[in-house]
Amino acid sequence: MKPDLELMNDKDFDVRYQVARRIDPNHLPKMMNDKDYYIRYEVAKRIDPKYLPKMMKDEESSVRYEVAKRIGSEGGAFANEHLPKMMNDENFQIRWEVAKRIDPKHLPKMMNDENHWVRWQVAERIDLKHLPKMMNDENYYIRLEVAERIGVEHLPKMMKDEESGVRYEVAKRIDPKFLGEMFGLDFHPEYQMGLIKVLAEREDLKNEY
């Protein structure tokens, strides 16, 4: 049987695939440009991280996703240098992976991403000082995340949000002086009893009502 090094260029996909899975990782750079993306994906999973930047522009999104995940997992200066280069990838799953792992200082550049899953990941990790810019996001789940994390001084601007769930989160944290006004708002039944329970348990209200 031919040694693995000779089989790297075998005409049969199944052979090259098995080589990519088994060969010493030091030889994988020679397979980075294989014509089949399944093999390039396998290479991206095992290759020495120093070669990953050369695969960031691979035409196949699954390969780029694996590259982004591994670069992010490396962390430190390596991730800080290379992940920002993938913030604008055309595939939202890759941008989501980047938002999940990138240094938070870069997240303000992703606040207006066209995909709500990416923006949700941004809202979950971004520095609190930037959250006011996301208070009016069109997506309910993002506003909910904002309501859970934003500084309490900004909550009055969210207490009339169109979604009961967002207002419910606001009520759990807002300054007591605003609660009277919130009681006049219409809450979905599933939140009404929960709101009453939350208000009853808030330590800062026990001397107010």
Side-chain angles (χ1 to χ4, degrees):
M1 183 178 179
K2 297 178 184 178
D4 284 347
L5 287 176
E6 294 181 35
L7 294 171
M8 285 194 299
N9 298 313
D10 193 279
K11 64 180 181 180
D12 191 286
F13 158 77
D14 291 322
V15 174
R16 298 196 314 279
Y17 181 71
Q18 290 303 320
V19 171
R21 294 182 64 190
R22 295 180 57 246
I23 200 169
D24 187 316
N26 290 325
H27 298 298
L28 285 175
K30 298 175 183 177
M31 302 187 77
M32 285 194 303
N33 298 313
D34 191 280
K35 63 182 180 181
D36 196 289
Y37 81 84
Y38 282 104
I39 293 172
R40 300 196 306 274
Y41 175 76
E42 197 64 35
V43 170
K45 288 168 61 177
R46 300 184 60 234
I47 199 168
D48 188 313
K50 70 182 180 182
Y51 293 103
L52 290 172
K54 295 181 179 179
M55 303 184 75
M56 290 193 301
K57 300 291 186 181
D58 192 280
E59 64 183 25
E60 174 57 42
S61 62
S62 62
V63 176
R64 299 195 308 275
Y65 180 86
E66 186 62 30
V67 169
K69 185 168 71 171
R70 286 201 61 208
I71 288 177
S73 295
E74 286 296 309
F78 183 74
N80 289 339
E81 178 183 357
H82 298 294
L83 276 185
K85 300 172 186 175
M86 303 186 79
M87 287 194 303
N88 298 312
D89 192 281
E90 64 183 25
N91 185 283
F92 86 86
Q93 291 175 308
I94 294 167
R95 299 196 306 275
W96 179 86
E97 187 67 28
V98 170
K100 178 181 175 183
R101 298 173 182 273
I102 201 169
D103 187 319
K105 71 181 181 182
H106 296 290
L107 289 174
K109 295 178 181 178
M110 303 183 78
M111 285 193 302
N112 297 314
D113 191 278
E114 64 183 21
N115 184 271
H116 68 275
W117 289 113
V118 177
R119 298 196 308 277
W120 176 79
Q121 187 64 61
V122 170
E124 191 175 56
R125 297 187 62 235
I126 200 168
D127 189 290
L128 297 181
K129 68 183 180 182
H130 298 293
L131 281 178
K133 297 175 183 177
M134 302 185 79
M135 285 192 302
N136 298 312
D137 192 280
E138 65 183 12
N139 185 274
Y140 156 70
Y141 291 103
I142 293 168
R143 299 197 307 278
L144 186 63
E145 185 67 34
V146 171
E148 291 175 354
R149 295 188 64 228
I150 200 168
V152 293
E153 68 274 18
H154 298 289
L155 289 174
K157 294 178 182 178
M158 300 186 74
M159 65 184 187
K160 294 185 179 181
D161 191 277
E162 64 184 25
E163 288 286 346
S164 294
V166 175
R167 300 198 303 273
Y168 174 67
E169 288 301 324
V170 170
K172 288 161 65 175
R173 301 180 59 227
I174 200 168
D175 188 299
K177 67 184 179 182
F178 294 101
L179 285 172
E181 187 174 345
M182 291 201 74
F183 271 121
L185 300 175
D186 179 41
F187 277 84
H188 188 282
E190 70 176 287
Y191 291 110
Q192 192 69 55
M193 293 306 298
L195 177 62
I196 293 173
K197 182 175 183 294
V198 165
L199 296 182
E201 293 175 349
R202 276 187 59 169
E203 292 293 330
D204 58 341
L205 297 181
K206 292 190 175 176
N207 295 322
E208 296 286 336
Y209 295 96

